Amino acid sequence: MADFRTHLGVAAAGGAVLAHGGWQAGLWDAWQALPMLALVTLGGILPDIDADSSKAIRLVFNLLAIPAVVAGALLLQGRLSIGGLLLACGALYLGVRYLAGALFARLTVHRGIWHSLLAAGLCGLATAAISHRLLAQPDALAWGQGLALALGFTLHLLLDELYSVDLTGARIKRSFGTALKPLDWRSPGSALVMLAAAANLLPWLPAWAALPDLLAQGASLWR
């Protein structure tokens, strides 16, 4: 399979193309292109958080710990002293970075449900919901950011499948078909949990009417 640097490099290149192309097409402003690049790049390493010893799981849970600390500081700043606030923020960081990361690693298996198109869709929907509801981004931009993360995620899955084909030996490796799949057929329960999570996101998503227009404008880039 492709290594961390390969996934990171391919996703960053894809993100650069998307960010620049969308800016040139007027889908977003120049300053909004950088988050698009970052989201595609993040999506490009996200599936490997199910590998217990991967760089991706350390990086992603480090990134998740930062907004957790910021949110905790905002919620607790009027209730705790400076010392108590620092302790609480430190506990939040350690909890997300290490405890949540360890629990996630224990509950997932490599090339399982996180290597699936269902997971890509769920992560894209979650990104769109967070962008729209928490960051107050316009509908079209929030959908664009969700699609950017899902694109990077899908690039990762596609790259894993390409690396499963050994062209020099003219053979297909055993890992072929374990990445770019709709869901993990070995674990239907995990798929149901993801579908339930996606359903719970529906009230928080941007207006659906903005999505077809965004896709149509994006498709025009390739004509």
Side-chain angles (χ1 to χ4, degrees):
M1 67 183 68
D3 60 16
F4 179 81
R5 290 185 179 180
T6 302
H7 281 303
L8 190 66
V10 171
V17 171
L18 177 70
H20 184 265
W23 169 48
Q24 291 295 317
L27 297 180
W28 43 75
D29 296 331
W31 66 272
Q32 294 167 330
L34 185 58
M36 292 295 180
L37 168 61
L39 285 167
V40 177
T41 305
L42 175 61
I45 62 172
L46 198 55
D48 275 347
I49 61 174
D50 63 8
D52 297 353
S53 60
S54 69
K55 295 179 181 178
I57 191 170
R58 295 193 295 272
L59 176 60
V60 169
F61 277 94
N62 267 324
L63 293 175
L64 289 176
I66 295 171
V69 169
V70 172
L74 292 174
L75 291 172
L76 299 174
Q77 62 182 344
R79 304 178 185 180
L80 299 175
S81 64
I82 296 297
L85 186 61
L86 289 174
L87 287 174
C89 289
L92 274 172
Y93 178 85
L94 293 175
V96 173
R97 170 60 185 88
Y98 294 101
L99 294 180
L103 179 62
F104 185 89
R106 187 174 182 83
L107 294 176
T108 57
V109 295
H110 191 45
R111 292 292 185 102
I113 191 64
W114 279 97
H115 275 72
S116 70
L117 295 174
L118 176 58
L122 175 62
C123 291
L125 290 177
T127 301
I130 292 171
S131 175
H132 182 58
R133 294 294 178 177
L134 297 184
L135 303 180
Q137 298 298 319
D139 293 334
L141 184 59
W143 277 123
Q145 291 175 345
L147 289 172
L149 187 99
L151 172 64
F153 203 110
T154 305
L155 284 174
H156 179 112
L157 303 182
L158 181 60
L159 200 58
D160 275 348
E161 294 294 0
L162 291 175
Y163 269 72
S164 296
V165 179
D166 183 3
L167 296 178
T168 59
R171 66 184 180 90
I172 295 178
K173 300 177 183 178
R174 292 179 60 187
S175 59
F176 184 77
T178 60
L180 193 62
K181 56 185 183 290
L183 50 88
D184 185 10
W185 304 105
R186 300 166 301 176
S187 181
S190 298
L192 289 175
V193 170
M194 278 197 171
L195 287 171
N200 286 324
L201 286 173
L202 293 178
W204 305 96
L205 293 173
W208 286 96
L211 183 56
D213 292 339
L214 178 67
L215 292 173
Q217 287 178 284
S220 66
L221 295 175
W222 305 101
R223 296 174 185 169

